[in-house]
Amino acid sequence: MCQSSCNNSNSKSLKSKAGLQICMGRTRLGSRQDSIVCPWCKDTLIGMETLETHECLIFPIEILTEYQGMLIAALFFIVEKFLRVFVVLFPIGYVVDAMPEWILSRLKVPQLTSANKEAELELLDDFRSFAEIMDFWDYPFEDHLVETRDGFVLGIHRITGPRKLSTAGAHGNDVGSQTEGGASQSSGRSGSKKPVVLFWHGFMLSSECFVCHPDWVNILPFRLAEAGYDVWLGNSRGNKYSYKHVKYAPSDARFWNFSIDEIANIDVPTTIDYILKETGIDSLTYIGFSQGTAQMFMALSRNRLLNQQVNHFIALAPASTPRGFHNSIVDYFIKATPHMLYLLFGRRKAMSLVYFWINILPRDLYVAALDFCVRLLFG
């Protein structure tokens, strides 16, 4: 390679994406006999087409941009660590009060009505389990344990019927006036097998996410239970209700040796098999949220029998990648090495920073910040 030889009219040269100019001297590449030795890997390259696609000579400049993005993301997490120390040293109430009005307006902090404020504080702050939420709303339920073939014990829940009539109207909610038919629909199905609905949560969530709203009218599992459906709620391995293994303890690294592949290939089919056997029906309706939809997309694409066992699949906020839909920040994380991902997001307990901020920030401010980040990432 030399600039002088490339200036010769009989020379052949190629400029790579990285700006490197490869000079072929007087060799006329293009025929099968012409060749050149790569100066980096010493491979013999034959023909111009081979030269133009050789990875040593074509260095994508986009790689530099990706590493810059990863560096910016890493700096974000470092800044977040300093913010943690700051909010621990200074009471968060003073920090929120000192925030300029334009920040709050930019975040679009929601204001709850007084009618729902007390219910939300009681329901979301005091209750720590699915059972306590069911007791609050007076719905009959059951807890079931499902063992997978690789030893995980999944905890799933079942709402066995409509709200108890003796306490209907308690907590300021009149169920009968908000349903179309109410309990009469479920009683009309007596003597026959009720249709089954299975809910599945998203990433870092549990079955509680479907029943933790302060307004009964917005809790879909309750609405379906009143309409006469047999409602089940699943839990993926590793969350608070599926935190057991027949062989490994959560402190054992082998307990966490799984991914969404195991959830899609094992947890979902095993749970559905258990529910169908327990209820005696042939198929059910699956309602997934976020990751709960992604794992069902995967399961249905791989499991022929599962396609017969699921009669309807309802995807809420489906987690997939449509053609042309991507975000550069997310791409940087996906393309990073596993060690970088572990450094940023942690091991065993995914994204511990989320748990920190959700426990220390006022709920209205946390929800507004979360919505702002979603708008920033996905528009």
Side-chain angles (χ1 to χ4, degrees):
M1 292 187 300
C2 61
Q3 186 63 36
S4 59
S5 62
C6 287
N7 292 331
N8 189 302
S9 58
N10 295 326
S11 300
K12 190 77 171 182
S13 64
L14 173 69
K15 190 173 184 180
S16 70
K17 290 184 179 180
L20 301 177
Q21 193 170 28
I22 312 301
C23 180
M24 306 300 113
R26 297 180 180 275
T27 303
R28 182 182 176 88
L29 290 180
S31 64
R32 295 183 178 179
Q33 291 76 18
D34 298 332
S35 64
I36 186 174
V37 177
C38 175
W40 287 279
C41 66
K42 306 304 179 182
D43 289 346
T44 301
L45 309 177
I46 302 175
M48 195 65 180
E49 293 182 359
T50 304
L51 181 64
E52 290 176 345
T53 58
H54 187 57
E55 59 182 2
C56 292
L57 306 181
I58 302 178
F59 182 83
I61 197 65
E62 290 82 2
I63 293 180
L64 296 178
T65 307
E66 292 174 3
Y67 280 105
Q68 291 172 1
M70 292 170 56
L71 178 60
I72 294 174
L75 290 176
F76 166 78
F77 280 89
I78 294 175
V79 172
E80 187 270 338
K81 297 292 185 183
F82 282 105
L83 287 177
R84 288 199 198 190
V85 176
F86 178 79
V87 297
V88 168
L89 296 178
F90 298 92
I92 189 63
Y94 293 108
V95 176
V96 174
D97 293 339
M99 277 187 177
E101 187 64 29
W102 67 269
I103 295 181
L104 298 178
S105 60
R106 180 70 180 272
L107 291 176
K108 298 180 180 179
V109 178
Q111 297 296 328
L112 291 174
T113 61
S114 57
N116 294 335
K117 190 67 175 180
E118 182 178 354
E120 184 193 60
L121 292 176
E122 182 179 4
L123 184 62
L124 302 183
D125 287 343
D126 296 340
F127 298 157
R128 300 299 180 183
S129 68
F130 183 89
E132 293 182 2
I133 297 176
M134 292 298 101
D135 291 339
F136 174 82
W137 291 107
D138 298 311
Y139 274 93
F141 72 97
E142 298 173 353
D143 292 323
H144 294 253
L145 296 178
V146 180
E147 183 177 337
T148 66
R149 66 174 182 264
D150 56 349
F152 279 89
V153 181
L154 311 178
I156 63 176
H157 310 293
R158 181 185 192 182
I159 302 177
T160 57
R163 195 173 186 178
K164 301 173 185 177
L165 297 178
S166 60
T167 56
H171 313 302
N173 293 278
D174 186 359
V175 173
S177 64
Q178 300 183 54
T179 59
E180 298 178 1
S184 61
Q185 289 192 15
S186 61
S187 61
R189 297 182 186 273
S190 60
S192 61
K193 296 177 181 177
K194 296 190 296 184
V196 175
V197 178
L198 171 61
F199 288 83
W200 210 291
H201 59 84
F203 179 59
M204 294 177 59
L205 299 175
S206 70
S207 52
E208 297 174 5
C209 71
F210 292 106
V211 294
C212 65
H213 198 280
D215 279 344
W216 176 92
V217 71
N218 291 320
I219 303 179
L220 183 56
F222 293 167
R223 300 290 295 272
L224 293 178
E226 294 295 332
Y229 287 83
D230 192 354
V231 180
W232 295 72
L233 300 98
N235 285 289
S236 301
R237 60 181 64 193
N239 79 356
K240 63 185 294 185
Y241 295 108
S242 302
Y243 205 58
K244 292 183 179 180
H245 193 281
V246 297
K247 187 176 180 180
Y248 306 123
S251 58
D252 192 324
R254 289 172 291 185
F255 179 94
W256 301 101
N257 188 23
F258 64 85
S259 67
I260 191 174
D261 292 286
E262 283 72 28
I263 297 175
N265 297 333
I266 301 177
D267 291 5
V268 172
T270 303
T271 300
I272 291 178
D273 287 340
Y274 177 89
I275 294 174
L276 296 183
K277 182 178 180 180
E278 191 74 14
T279 58
I281 64 172
D282 297 326
S283 61
L284 53 75
T285 297
Y286 181 97
I287 301 178
F289 168 70
S290 191
Q291 180 182 291
T293 68
Q295 63 198 37
M296 180 52 80
F297 286 130
M298 296 171 62
L300 290 175
S301 67
R302 301 172 178 177
N303 191 323
R304 186 182 298 272
L305 176 61
L306 195 64
N307 284 265
Q308 303 174 4
Q309 296 174 325
V310 177
N311 51 49
H312 291 89
F313 170 29
I314 301 174
L316 305 177
S320 60
T321 307
R323 183 181 298 273
F325 181 81
H326 67 91
N327 182 275
S328 57
I329 299 178
V330 178
D331 290 343
Y332 297 147
F333 287 120
I334 293 177
K335 295 176 181 178
T337 65
H339 296 291
M340 175 65 73
L341 293 176
Y342 289 139
L343 176 64
L344 298 179
F345 295 106
R347 294 177 181 267
R348 301 180 184 177
K349 188 176 182 180
M351 295 187 72
S352 60
L353 66 92
V354 175
Y355 296 97
F356 174 84
W357 290 108
I358 198 173
N359 288 324
I360 200 169
L361 287 179
R363 180 169 293 105
D364 295 351
L365 184 60
Y366 176 81
V367 171
L370 189 63
D371 290 340
F372 175 79
C373 293
V374 170
R375 292 195 302 269
L376 179 65
L377 286 175
F378 305 110

